[in-house]
Amino acid sequence: MNVHDSEKVIGTLLHEGYRQVETVEEADLILYNTCSIRDKAEQKVFHRLADYKKLQARGKKFGVLGCVAQQEGEKIFERAPHVSLVCGSASYRKLPEMLVQLEAGQLAAQVEAATFRAARVEAGNCEAEERETEKLVRITGLDDRQTDECFETEFTARTNPYRGYITIIEGCDKFCSYCVVPFTRGKERSRTAESVLAEARQMADLGYSEIQLLGQNVNSYKDPTSDLRKKKTFAELLAAVGEVPGIRRVRFTTSHPRDFGRDIVHAIDAVPTLCDHVHLPVQSGSTRVLDAMQRLYNREQYLERIAWIKAAKRDISITSDMIVGFPGETEADFDETLSLLDEVGYDSVFTFKYSPRPNTPSLSLEDAIPDEEKARRLEVVMARQREIQIERYKKHIGMTIEVMVEGYNASRGQWVGRTSQNKTLNFTAGVRDDATRGSEARSTSEAESTSKAAGKSARSTQATSRATDRSARSTQATSAAADCGPRVGTYASVRVTGSFPNSLVGELVV
Ligand code: SAM
Ligand code: SF4
């Protein structure tokens, strides 16, 4: 979500006349988009801000955006006094206005400092010296939880020219006992289906063929329109986006198990463009722990939803998130998490050690499981899941699967594709001409650095701006090299010949 927030912020600021630059050194204003979901992520923010301090002497201004901004508010000015602007995730729509205030305030401060400097020289008044220094202007945008407004912009600067995100719902009202999101991103608010569909059509017109619908809980979507003829449920919206001409793949993340209805599975079965993938975070296999986490479902209800997905006509891949070491998680609870892994057979699981977060109800519970024990449980879950994935990925051997081509890896001599189930499928595409190899090697190293930069963009709009430029360059370079192979952004059929725990390998079918 942060990546897409950065894309929206960048697009909006470009429209306002700001220019993106390649490096922090070139920038006058450095906006840093932040995440506070776990303590580690938050600590990184303050380390990075400390690194930026040395640039202050060169007249640069700093702004902190996102969840750390919302959570820490004006305390950021105390911990990082060189920061001039703090804008929480729920206040992005006000950012251009805040930047105007920042510039105006800065100008006024410069004039004031110059006036005092002149007065001091004229009167030989040394007492004015302290006031000579330009005052640091401070601007804050910290909407409270109650904001009803979404950050809608038609100027999103998407980093990938073939697949892009659309936010359909912002904020969260679930209040899981461990989670900061309801405090940092405000209350749950949905966009109208009409506005989402207009954005999807606009993307299709621009040549996008894959859309990913985004939200903390996409399936808690509630169309706010009062026009009953246009009002849609989440499953109806999903199907409608899948029916937009030109759109070939639709993904959605994240789904909350409590709000996961059978109608979503029916939509996937009915609309071929909807991808064969559901990300359904469980967090724990123990009903006792789920209850303490305030997850609003128990193990049986979760497994019922899994049964609906498995009963689909299509082979839908299931992935999840899990937290280990939640306060009070016993060995028996942990065993239930392991048995759930076996029972569901996920294709991938993101696992996290429980991290106590400010404001959350679980902060009052004793975090008595030592970090080494959390780390051990994490290792055990990951090892078990790896075994499961080895078996699950093997099942694709011999199948012919459609992939979206994402790039070319010169060092391995393989194209990189993504399946509808969201699996990476690396493949060879026949004999290649030596003359094109040089340009491919170049394009590939750029494509790799693009994905790295795109990863960083979750944390920094500065990094995102770099990613945008590199993405454009790598696309050109990759397409120049693609004469004897499939083009990036197109779809290809690949026969799977081998498997690993996290990827498949195969050959292009021509
Ligand atoms: N809304 C989604 C849901 O309910 O499943 C999850 C969104 S949350 C931003 C992403 C993941 O971060 C969660 O699924 C959870 O596993 C993890 N997470 C959130 N708070 C955490 C915490 N305090 N400690 C460890 N992991 C946490
Ligand atoms: Fe956090 Fe729970 Fe909301 Fe997901 S549903 S964002 S885990 S509070």
Side-chain angles (χ1 to χ4, degrees), residues 1 35-39 171-172 174 176-181 185 215-219 253-257 279-283 293 295 297 320-324 326 350-358 360 362:
M1 288 212 73
C35 166
S36 66
I37 194 82
R38 282 170 294 278
D39 184 55
C172 178
K174 296 280 191 292
C176 300
S177 64
Y178 52 81
C179 185
V180 284
V181 169
R185 286 192 170 265
Q216 294 300 337
N217 301 301
V218 269
N219 59 328
T253 194
T254 298
S255 296
H256 191 285
H279 184 65
L280 199 65
V282 64
Q283 314 300 357
M293 287 177 163
R295 279 295 286 181
Y297 54 85
S320 196
D321 294 350
M322 290 203 175
I323 297 176
V324 296
F326 185 78
F350 296 100
T351 36
F352 308 101
K353 289 190 279 182
Y354 167 70
S355 169
R357 304 310 296 127
T360 59
S362 68

Side-chain angles (χ1 to χ4, degrees), residues 282-293 299 322-341 369 373 376-377 380-381:
V282 64
Q283 314 300 357
S284 169
S286 153
T287 291
R288 206 184 63 80
V289 174
L290 289 173
D291 197 36
M293 287 177 163
R299 179 184 171 109
M322 290 203 175
I323 297 176
V324 296
F326 185 78
E329 182 190 68
T330 62
E331 274 297 332
D333 292 321
F334 181 60
D335 283 346
E336 290 202 58
T337 292
L338 294 179
S339 73
L340 188 94
L341 285 184
I369 301 176
E373 177 56 16
R376 186 193 69 81
R377 292 184 190 181
V380 173
V381 169

Side-chain angles (χ1 to χ4, degrees), residues 286-327:
S286 153
T287 291
R288 206 184 63 80
V289 174
L290 289 173
D291 197 36
M293 287 177 163
Q294 292 166 208
R295 279 295 286 181
L296 312 172
Y297 54 85
N298 58 33
R299 179 184 171 109
E300 286 61 44
Q301 287 164 329
Y302 181 83
L303 286 172
E304 186 184 30
R305 275 117 184 107
I306 295 294
W308 296 341
I309 299 170
K310 287 187 176 174
K313 287 185 231 140
R314 289 166 69 177
D315 179 15
I316 300 175
S317 166
I318 307 169
T319 58
S320 196
D321 294 350
M322 290 203 175
I323 297 176
V324 296
F326 185 78

